[in-house]
Amino acid sequence: MIAELRERIESAFRLQLFRDYLALEAGSSENTIAAYLRDLRRLGEFALSKGVGDPAAMTRHHLRDFVYLQKDLGLSPSSIRRSTSAIRTYFGFLVGEGIVSTDPSDRLESPTRWRTLPETLSVSEVEALLAAPGAEDHRLAWRDRALLELGYGAGLRVSELCSMALTDFLAGEQLVRIFGKGSKERLVPLGRSVIGVVSVYLHQLRPELDRGASRGRLLLNARGEPLSRVGAWGIVRRAAETAGIAKPVTPHTLRHSFATHLLEGGADLRAVQEMLGHADLSTTQIYTHVDREYLRSVHKQFHPRG
């Protein structure tokens, strides 16, 4: 099946032609060619998941989403810069060959231009996002709600959401057990809303999904397999669209919002560090910059001399 998918991507996205161009005309090294083709196969897989089977149908919106997806999946800025370069070179080639008429990569951002401060949602935006799956009224709505509630309610990384085992959800103790980077274990408190939504999912939907291929994971896809990171990203994206949120929203946006809202509410920085699973307090301190921006906005709004 993997071989069939790869062959489909190679054919639909003209990767053999692009390979020949890199080798024979551009004079690229073997390492560059291999890296560019790997990046473009990943782009092709993403495009097919969005129902786009031809590079001519790809838009700036698709490419921007792909770059944000790579960031959310944990790829390094250097890897994403190379991927962005591959995409620009690829579409430049396609335009030159007359395969596509316009270049959707002409305004594609690279990580060097990303904002230092993380994007966050307001409390009202979070509430709209968490309620969005219910508005869609589809079969997997409780699974989607569970993912969103856990992502925001416990500030989890997308990899932590997808790897969470059934036994890690400790409803009786109002905790979730997380194995983060380096398999470091931490316990994060859960609010009643999170526990309620996840409990409904576990009792009403998950038994129906589990057909013996779940490997004990808490969040499953429609086939009963562990939910992938790409799948989690898609759930958040759909919920944001349903909620009418215009800014880019990824699973990591929920984590950023979790930390920011805690600090805005007066939480201790070290407590937030512990809940996020940061080894170094300096990593958590970026959220104090977000908090200062919030304080400035409050001062400007309410102080007579603001």
Side-chain angles (χ1 to χ4, degrees):
M1 188 172 180
I2 294 176
E4 291 177 3
L5 176 61
R6 178 167 174 165
E7 185 177 341
R8 182 183 174 190
I9 292 170
E10 292 267 350
S11 174
F13 290 85
R14 316 288 184 90
L15 295 189
Q16 181 61 55
L17 282 176
F18 184 58
R19 182 190 290 110
D20 292 343
Y21 163 76
L22 291 175
L24 302 176
E25 296 185 43
S28 302
S29 69
E30 290 184 8
N31 287 340
T32 297
I33 293 172
Y36 274 22
L37 290 174
R38 186 166 57 247
D39 293 331
L40 291 170
R41 289 189 199 101
R42 189 181 292 124
L43 173 64
E45 186 176 353
F46 171 81
L48 290 177
S49 74
K50 297 294 182 182
V52 177
D54 188 302
M58 296 203 73
T59 64
R60 290 172 180 167
H61 184 77
H62 291 130
L63 296 182
R64 186 199 67 181
D65 281 357
F66 178 66
V67 171
Y68 274 100
L69 171 61
Q70 292 179 97
K71 181 171 181 276
D72 199 52
L73 293 179
L75 272 69
S76 68
S78 61
S79 294
I80 302 175
R81 279 194 293 271
R82 186 203 62 227
S83 175
T84 304
S85 176
I87 292 169
R88 289 191 180 120
T89 304
Y90 171 66
F91 276 102
F93 161 75
L94 294 179
V95 170
E97 293 293 312
I99 297 172
V100 302
S101 57
T102 58
D103 182 359
S105 71
D106 60 347
R107 298 181 186 176
L108 190 61
E109 284 189 358
S110 65
T112 54
R113 293 182 58 193
W114 286 343
R115 294 169 55 186
T116 302
L117 298 180
E119 188 79 68
T120 60
L121 300 175
S122 67
V123 174
S124 61
E125 286 174 329
V126 168
E127 290 174 348
L129 186 76
L130 297 181
E136 294 175 326
D137 192 28
H138 63 89
R139 173 173 170 260
L140 299 174
W142 281 108
R143 189 276 316 271
D144 294 358
R145 290 187 65 187
L147 180 142
L148 295 168
E149 288 278 1
L150 283 166
Y152 174 69
L156 305 184
R157 302 177 178 94
V158 66
S159 58
E160 294 168 348
L161 283 165
C162 294
S163 64
M164 188 188 308
L166 273 171
T167 52
D168 294 332
F169 179 66
L170 311 174
E173 300 173 58
Q174 297 183 316
L175 295 169
V176 62
R177 179 172 49 227
I178 300 300
F179 295 91
K181 292 183 177 180
S183 298
K184 183 180 178 183
E185 180 181 348
R186 71 183 189 276
L187 294 170
V188 183
L190 295 176
R192 286 173 295 181
S193 176
V194 185
I195 293 172
V197 168
V198 176
S199 296
V200 171
Y201 159 70
L202 290 177
H203 288 95
Q204 292 189 9
L205 179 60
R206 193 185 179 284
E208 176 188 337
L209 295 176
D210 192 352
R211 305 184 189 103
S214 69
R215 303 206 300 270
R217 300 285 174 78
L218 187 136
L219 295 170
L220 306 180
N221 63 23
R223 298 182 300 278
E225 301 163 347
L227 185 69
S228 69
R229 292 186 294 179
V230 173
W233 195 88
I235 290 167
V236 175
R237 170 77 190 188
R238 287 193 301 273
E241 290 176 350
T242 302
I245 300 172
K247 67 183 72 170
V249 182
T250 72
H252 225 65
T253 309
L254 298 178
R255 179 171 163 86
H256 293 324
S257 302
F258 164 85
T260 302
H261 295 167
L262 280 172
L263 288 168
E264 287 175 358
D268 177 78
L269 188 63
R270 289 198 177 275
V272 176
Q273 176 195 6
E274 183 69 25
M275 285 185 274
L276 289 173
H278 287 161
D280 191 336
L281 186 62
S282 63
T283 308
T284 316
Q285 283 174 333
I286 187 172
Y287 294 103
T288 64
H289 299 296
V290 179
D291 193 35
R292 283 199 288 271
E293 290 301 317
Y294 167 75
L295 293 176
R296 287 191 189 100
S297 69
V298 171
H299 181 274
K300 185 174 183 179
Q301 182 178 357
F302 296 109
H303 195 277
R305 297 286 186 179

